[in-house]
Amino acid sequence: GQQVMQIPQYQHVQEGEDFTTYCNSSTTLSNIQWYKQRPGGHPVFLIQLVKSGEVKKQKRLTFQFGEAKKNSSLHITATQTTDVGTYFCAGYGGNAGNMLTFGGGTRLMVKP
Amino acid sequence: KAGVTQTPRYLIKTRGQQVTLSCSPISGHRSVSWYQQTPGQGLQFLFEYFSETQRNKGNFPGRFSGRQFSNSRSEMNVSTLELGDSALYLCASSIRTGGTTEAFFGQGTRLTVV
């Protein structure tokens, strides 16, 4: 079945440093989504990427979708303490149909 | 507009018992998905319902079942509970708008099996 892997699992950064999480799928995705889950909270939708090679920005966050539509990345510039949480990628595609398959998440911790 | 509502928020059950969790989606959303979240396994897909029909099912044993009602509210049931079923169970409703299918998650039900 479809598998989505995310690295790293954990990341500690000093406030102001950059952060990147990477997502890889075992199959081609029709689209990829990113979610953020704050500690004690529930996942909240950030963005969806659909096109091969697509790049989208939200303030300090930059999302990329690979040319082969099998990988994606989220880059945060100059992290802030409010960025703390777990970032998940999730993909639709392959034989999974309407099933959204989540990566294991990257937990970001920011030291002030 | 009200969000996704899950009840109860917390639950403690004994091994061997069964449990039913409820999810009320956002009004107008017909797709409801259930996920199990544990520290070691991340978000694992359980099943997805659309218009009262199960459209997709994850790799969970038959002890995990669900259903959806005509008003799109959904329930999931776990029978013969095991210690390993302790987890946060998240429900998400979604609707496709403008090419994007965004999943809106509820606060979850934290189930503890003792």
Side-chain angles (χ1 to χ4, degrees):
Chain A
Q2 179 177 296
Q3 291 186 343
V4 178
M5 290 141 289
Q6 231 178 307
I7 56 169
Q9 203 172 353
Y10 304 95
Q11 183 83 60
H12 287 87
V13 299
Q14 195 72 42
E15 189 172 22
E17 290 182 337
D18 291 356
F19 159 77
T20 305
T21 172
Y22 299 92
C23 181
N24 286 286
S25 170
S26 58
T27 59
T28 302
L29 300 169
S30 58
N31 66 63
I32 193 146
Q33 300 181 351
W34 285 90
Y35 291 79
K36 177 183 178 181
Q37 184 174 21
R38 293 182 187 274
H42 58 277
V44 174
F45 177 86
L46 293 176
I47 208 160
Q48 176 176 290
L49 303 170
V50 178
K51 299 175 187 173
S52 168
E54 189 170 12
V55 178
K56 286 189 177 180
K57 292 192 174 188
Q58 287 180 350
K59 296 183 181 177
R60 295 177 295 102
L61 277 61
T62 302
F63 304 85
Q64 290 189 314
F65 200 10
E67 293 291 338
K69 299 183 76 173
K70 293 179 75 172
N71 57 14
S72 181
S73 66
L74 157 58
H75 179 82
I76 302 178
T77 304
T79 54
Q80 299 175 359
T81 54
T82 53
D83 295 326
V84 163
T86 301
Y87 292 85
F88 292 96
C89 63
Y92 281 106
N95 297 323
N98 289 307
M99 190 173 97
L100 191 60
T101 303
F102 280 80
T106 296
R107 185 176 168 192
L108 172 65
M109 289 152 280
V110 180
K111 287 177 278 189
Chain B
K1 190 165 163 179
V4 177
T5 304
Q6 289 188 246
T7 56
R9 289 290 310 277
Y10 303 93
L11 207 47
I12 299 175
K13 289 285 189 178
T14 305
R15 263 185 309 175
Q17 286 187 311
Q18 72 153 23
V19 68
T20 299
L21 312 181
S22 179
C23 172
S24 293
I26 292 173
S27 177
H29 289 196
R30 293 195 293 168
S31 170
V32 174
S33 298
W34 288 89
Y35 297 85
Q36 182 194 65
Q37 186 172 34
T38 56
Q41 297 295 319
L43 274 160
Q44 301 291 312
F45 174 79
L46 281 154
F47 23 67
E48 185 228 355
Y49 287 88
F50 183 86
S51 294
E52 301 179 68
T53 300
Q54 188 182 86
R55 271 203 306 201
N56 285 289
K57 190 175 189 306
N59 295 323
F60 277 82
R63 299 185 297 107
F64 292 81
S65 62
R67 59 178 175 167
Q68 187 180 33
F69 302 95
S70 57
N71 62 358
S72 292
R73 190 178 71 85
S74 178
E75 287 181 349
M76 68 163 278
N77 184 278
V78 188
S79 62
T80 321
L81 284 166
E82 300 177 359
L83 295 178
D85 297 332
S86 294
L88 179 67
Y89 289 89
L90 290 161
C91 158
S93 75
S94 61
I95 189 169
R96 186 177 177 86
T97 51
T100 297
T101 305
E102 176 182 342
F104 293 84
F105 284 84
Q107 299 281 6
T109 295
R110 184 162 297 281
L111 171 66
T112 302
V113 182
V114 297

